[in-house]
C-alpha cells in the first residue's frame, strides 16, 4: 500500500469520530501492550543486531518506559478526557466555562535510533491515548529495530489507524511534503530544522525533541563518591549515545584530582569492556569515525582505546579541556567525557549562559545557595540536582527542550496535552440579558463597563 493511500485513509478514518471513543483508545493501547510483551524476544534480538544492546538495558531503558506509559494512560485516560471546568468571570455571568480536550487528528511521529523503541513508541502511545491516528517513521539507522516495529504494528493494527512506514531519507522527505495535524520529531538539531521548515509549508505544529551539550557541575560541597558513580553510569549508558547524558563536566578545581580518580575507579569497577553485555557498540561507522576524531590524545586522562572492527570505544575522560577545544564545539553523543575546571561557581554559570540552552543540566552539591542559583540562572529542558537523567523516569515531570534543544514536551499528562487541542467553550444562560454591551453606546454604559475591569 502506497504511503499517500495510507495518509488518505487515516484522514478519512479520523473523520468517522471512532478514535474519540475512550473504550476504542483503551482497546488499542491494551493491544499494543500485549504485543510488546508477546514480542519481547523479537525486540531484544533486533536491537542487539543493531548495536549490541543487552536485554537488561533494553527493558529498563526502553520497553519498561513504553509499558509504563500505557499503564499510566489506561489509568488516567477517563479523567484526562473529561471537560475541565474553569471559573467564569463576572462579565460572562451567568455562564459555564469548560476546556474540552479533543484529538488533533493525523499525527506523524519520526523516531530516533539511539533509543529506538522508547523514542518511537512512547510518543505513539501518547498520541493514541489522545485519540489520534498515527504514522510512525522509525529511524532507518537502527534498521533491525525499524523492521521489528513495522512488523508488530503493520501485522496487527488497521493501517487507517496506526501504520509504521519503513525507509530512509527519501521516504522521510516524501512524508514531510504531506499535511499532518502534528509532527513529532526526535533527533538532531540539524535535522530538526529541516523538519520544522517542511512543517511550516503546511502550517503544521511540531514538537521537536533535540539535544545539545548538557553540562554537569560538581562543586566542592558535593558528595563526590555518589556524584562520580551516578555520572559514570549516566554518561556511559548506551555508550554515551543518550540525548540527556552529561556531555561535559565542570569540576571545582579544589576537588578536581580527587574527583577524576573516582571517575576512573567506577569506570574500572563497571567493566565497560568490548564484549560486555552492558556496553553497546557505536551505532555505525560514520559515528564511530566522528567520535575518534574528537579524542585529543594529549588530553586523555583515562581510556582512549578503541576497536574499529567492533565499533568499540573505551570510556574516555579528557582533562585540561577549554571551551575552544574541538570536543566542545558540538554535542558528543558518545563515550567521551571532557572535564573543565573552575574556581568561581557564579562565573561558570555565566559561562554556560553564553552557550545554547541544553536539553539537560545537572548539579552536584549540598550547598543550598548553589542549588538556588543553578535553578534561577540556567535555562535548560530538564535536569537533576545530585543525579543524572533520572528525571525522565517521573511521568509527572514534562520532558522536552528549550531554544536549540527543542520545542514542546511530553511524558504523562504533558504527552496527552501535546497531542490534544484544548478547545474553549462558554455556555451562557438565555435569561436576564443586560443591554450594556449593545448599541447605542453611552457614557453611562462605558462607566459601568469600566467597573467590571
Amino acid at each position: 500500500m502506497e504511503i499517500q493511500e495510507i495518509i488518505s485513509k487515516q484522514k478519512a478514518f479520523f473523520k468517522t469520530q471512532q478514535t474519540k471513543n475512550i473504550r476504542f483508545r483503551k482497546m488499542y493501547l491494551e493491544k499494543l501492550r500485549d504485543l510488546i510483551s508477546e514480542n519481547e524476544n523479537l525486540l531484544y534480538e533486533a536491537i542487539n543486531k543493531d548495536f549490541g544492546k543487552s536485554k537488561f538495558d533494553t527493558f529498563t531503558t526502553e520497553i519498561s518506559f513504553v509499558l509504563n506509559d500505557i499503564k499510566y494512560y489506561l489509568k488516567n485516560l477517563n479523567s484526562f478526557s473529561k471537560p475541565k471546568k474553569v471559573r467564569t468571570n463576572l462579565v460572562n455571568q451567568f455562564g459555564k466555562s469548560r476546556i474540552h480536550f479533543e484529538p488533533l487528528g493525523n499525527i506523524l511521529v519520526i523516531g530516533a535510533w539511539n533509543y529506538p523503541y522508547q523514542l518511537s513508541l512512547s510518543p505513539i502511545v501518547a498520541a493514541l491515548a489522545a485519540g489520534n491516528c498515527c504514522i510512525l517513521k522509525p529511524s532507518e539507522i537502527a534498521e533491525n529495530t525499524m523492521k521489528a516495529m513495522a512488523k508488530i504494528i503493520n501485522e496487527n493494527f488497521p493501517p487507517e489507524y496506526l501504520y509504521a512506514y519503513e525507509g530512509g531519507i527519501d521516504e522521510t522527505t516524501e512524508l514531510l511534503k504531506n499535511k499532518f495535524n502534528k509532527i513529532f520529531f526526535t533527533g538532531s538539531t540539524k535535522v530538526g530544522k529541516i523538519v520544522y521548515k517542511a512543517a511550516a509549508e503546511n502550517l503544521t505544529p511540531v514538537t521537536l525533541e533535540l539535544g545539545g551539550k548538557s553540562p554537569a557541575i560538581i562543586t566542592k560541597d558535593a558528595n563526590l563518591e555518589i556524584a562520580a558513580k551516578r555520572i559514570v553510569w549516566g554518561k556511559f549508558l548506551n555508550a554515551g549515545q543518550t540525548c540527556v547524558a552529561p556531555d561535559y563536566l565542570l569540576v571545582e578545581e579544589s576537588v578536581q584530582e580527587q574527583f577524576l580518580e573516582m571517575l576512573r575507579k567506577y569506570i574500572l569497577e563497571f567493566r565497560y569492556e568490548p564484549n560486555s553485555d552492558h556496553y553497546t557498540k557505536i551505532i555505525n561507522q560514520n559515528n564511530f569515525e566522528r567520535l575518534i576524531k574528537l579524542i585529543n590524545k594529549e588530553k586523555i586522562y583515562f581510556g582512549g582505546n578503541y576497536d574499529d572492527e567492533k565499533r568499540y570505544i573505551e570510556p574516555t575522560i579528557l582533562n585540561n579541556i577549554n571551551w575552544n577545544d574541538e570536543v566542545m564545539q558540538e554535542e558528543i553523543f558518545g563515550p567521551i567525557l571532557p572535564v573543565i575546571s573552575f574556581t568561581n561557581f557564579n562565573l561558570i554559570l555565566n559561562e554556560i549562559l553564553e552557550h545554547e540552552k541544553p536539553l539537560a543540566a545537572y548539579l552536584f552539591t549540598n550547598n543550598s545557595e548553589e542549588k538556588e542559583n543553578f535553578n534561577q540562572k540556567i535555562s535548560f529542558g530538564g535536569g537533576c540536582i545530585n543525579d543524572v537523567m533520572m528525571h525522565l523516569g517521573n511521568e509527572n515531570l514534562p520532558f522536552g527542550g528549550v531554544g536549540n534543544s527543542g520545542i514542546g514536551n511530553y511524558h504523562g499528562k504533558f504527552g496527552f496535552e501535546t497531542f490534544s487541542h484544548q478547545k474553549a467553550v462558554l455556555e451562557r444562560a438565555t435569561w436576564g440579558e443586560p443591554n450594556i454591551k449593545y448599541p447605542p453606546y453611552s457614557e453611562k454604559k462605558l462607566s459601568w463597563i469600566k467597573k467590571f475591569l
Side-chain angles (χ1 to χ4, degrees):
M1 195 180 296
E2 294 294 326
I3 191 61
Q4 297 296 337
E5 185 181 354
I6 298 288
I7 294 170
S8 296
K9 282 178 176 283
Q10 290 203 351
K11 289 181 177 180
F13 184 68
F14 181 74
K15 290 177 181 177
T16 68
Q17 307 282 312
Q18 289 184 57
T19 64
K20 291 185 177 180
N21 184 285
I22 303 301
R23 282 183 294 178
F24 178 92
R25 303 184 207 181
K26 287 186 175 182
M27 177 182 72
Y28 278 107
L29 287 175
E30 289 169 349
K31 185 179 183 71
L32 181 58
R33 175 198 63 197
D34 294 343
L35 285 166
I36 290 170
S37 296
E38 291 165 10
N39 289 276
E40 261 190 61
N41 286 334
L42 172 66
L43 297 174
Y44 291 146
E45 289 168 9
I47 202 167
N48 190 264
K49 287 179 183 176
D50 281 329
F51 54 114
K53 198 165 186 175
S54 68
K55 286 184 180 181
F56 185 94
D57 279 342
T58 301
F59 185 82
T60 56
T61 67
E62 305 232 35
I63 292 174
S64 68
F65 273 80
V66 181
L67 294 178
N68 282 333
D69 284 345
I70 294 173
K71 182 180 178 181
Y72 177 87
Y73 287 122
L74 289 174
K75 179 181 177 181
N76 293 288
L77 198 49
N78 284 44
S79 61
F80 287 170
S81 302
K82 287 180 180 177
K84 181 183 176 182
K85 294 180 182 179
V86 295
R87 193 178 71 86
T88 302
N89 61 352
L90 185 61
V91 170
N92 285 305
Q93 298 297 339
F94 295 92
K96 298 176 182 178
S97 300
R98 292 183 177 87
I99 299 171
H100 293 254
F101 294 87
E102 62 179 19
L104 291 171
N106 301 93
I107 308 296
L108 171 62
V109 171
I110 304 174
W113 59 262
N114 58 322
Y115 290 86
Y117 301 137
Q118 182 200 149
L119 299 179
S120 295
L121 296 177
S122 281
I124 285 291
V125 168
L128 296 181
N132 300 283
C133 297
C134 301
I135 290 176
L136 169 63
K137 172 59 186 69
S139 173
E140 74 282 1
I141 294 174
E143 183 180 6
N144 291 288
T145 62
M146 174 183 71
K147 291 182 180 300
M149 284 186 281
K151 175 180 173 61
I152 291 169
I153 289 171
N154 295 344
E155 290 182 2
N156 294 283
F157 287 85
E160 65 270 21
Y161 177 53
L162 174 62
Y163 186 78
Y165 185 48
E166 297 180 61
I169 294 172
D170 290 344
E171 286 76 12
T172 304
T173 303
E174 190 63 32
L175 270 177
L176 289 171
K177 293 177 182 178
N178 294 276
K179 182 173 178 58
F180 292 91
N181 297 107
K182 182 74 176 265
I183 296 175
F184 188 106
F185 169 80
T186 304
S188 68
T189 301
K190 178 182 177 181
V191 179
K193 290 178 180 179
I194 296 170
V195 172
Y196 203 7
K197 185 177 180 179
E201 291 294 323
N202 292 308
L203 292 179
T204 300
V206 297
T207 295
L208 300 177
E209 299 297 345
L210 308 176
K213 295 189 75 63
S214 299
I217 309 169
I218 300 90
T219 79
K220 66 180 186 300
D221 293 320
N223 182 323
L224 298 181
E225 194 79 30
I226 289 294
K229 190 173 187 178
R230 291 175 178 175
I231 286 170
V232 167
W233 169 80
K235 174 62 180 181
F236 300 113
L237 179 71
N238 213 39
Q241 299 167 115
T242 304
C243 57
V244 291
D247 187 89
Y248 63 98
L249 302 187
L250 298 163
V251 184
E252 194 157 0
E253 192 176 83
S254 61
V255 295
Q256 183 177 359
E257 284 303 319
Q258 182 185 358
F259 189 69
L260 286 170
E261 192 52 42
M262 289 178 180
L263 291 175
R264 182 207 301 268
K265 181 185 85 168
Y266 280 110
I267 290 172
L268 292 170
E269 187 175 312
F270 294 164
R271 301 182 64 181
Y272 296 111
E273 297 161 359
N275 297 315
S276 297
D277 286 343
H278 57 274
Y279 194 60
T280 62
K281 297 184 290 187
I282 304 305
I283 185 67
N284 57 26
Q285 195 63 28
N286 285 341
N287 275 282
F288 179 85
E289 291 174 3
R290 176 186 63 83
L291 289 165
I292 294 303
K293 290 176 183 177
L294 295 178
I295 300 176
N296 183 336
K297 293 182 179 179
E298 294 179 0
K299 296 193 175 186
I300 295 173
Y301 176 85
F302 178 89
N305 297 310
Y306 56 89
D307 186 321
D308 196 303
E309 189 176 325
K310 294 180 178 179
R311 299 202 307 272
Y312 165 84
I313 299 177
E314 183 181 21
T316 299
I317 300 173
L318 302 179
N319 196 18
N320 300 316
I321 297 295
N322 63 66
W323 296 97
N324 296 319
D325 283 334
E326 186 178 359
V327 75
M328 293 301 296
Q329 304 312 305
E330 61 178 21
E331 183 180 6
I332 296 167
F333 223 68
I336 302 166
L337 185 58
V339 178
I340 297 174
S341 67
F342 71 89
T343 55
N344 185 298
F345 181 73
N346 287 316
L347 288 180
I348 205 66
L349 294 185
N350 291 336
E351 184 67 49
I352 294 171
L353 288 172
E354 293 299 314
H355 297 81
E356 295 288 356
K357 297 176 181 180
L359 181 59
Y362 307 108
L363 170 66
F364 288 84
T365 185
N366 289 311
N367 183 308
S368 57
E369 185 178 343
E370 289 175 345
K371 294 176 187 178
E372 182 68 20
N373 287 342
F374 173 78
N375 283 326
Q376 289 293 326
K377 281 190 173 183
I378 305 300
S379 178
F380 52 91
C384 304
I385 294 176
N386 292 324
D387 209 342
V388 297
M389 305 195 338
M390 292 303 292
H391 58 295
L392 270 68
N394 184 352
E395 67 269 12
N396 298 304
L397 290 173
F399 173 64
V402 58
N404 262 34
S405 60
I407 299 169
N409 53 47
Y410 71 122
H411 284 191
K413 184 179 180 181
F414 306 96
F416 181 86
E417 291 176 350
T418 285
F419 293 106
S420 300
H421 168 60
Q422 298 183 37
K423 182 170 64 179
V425 177
L426 170 68
E427 180 183 351
R428 294 196 65 201
T430 55
W431 52 269
E433 179 75 343
N435 287 318
I436 193 170
K437 71 180 180 183
Y438 298 108
Y441 302 139
S442 68
E443 287 296 325
K444 186 176 181 180
K445 285 184 178 181
L446 183 59
S447 68
W448 274 106
I449 287 173
K450 287 182 177 180
K451 289 178 182 180
F452 287 120
L453 297 179

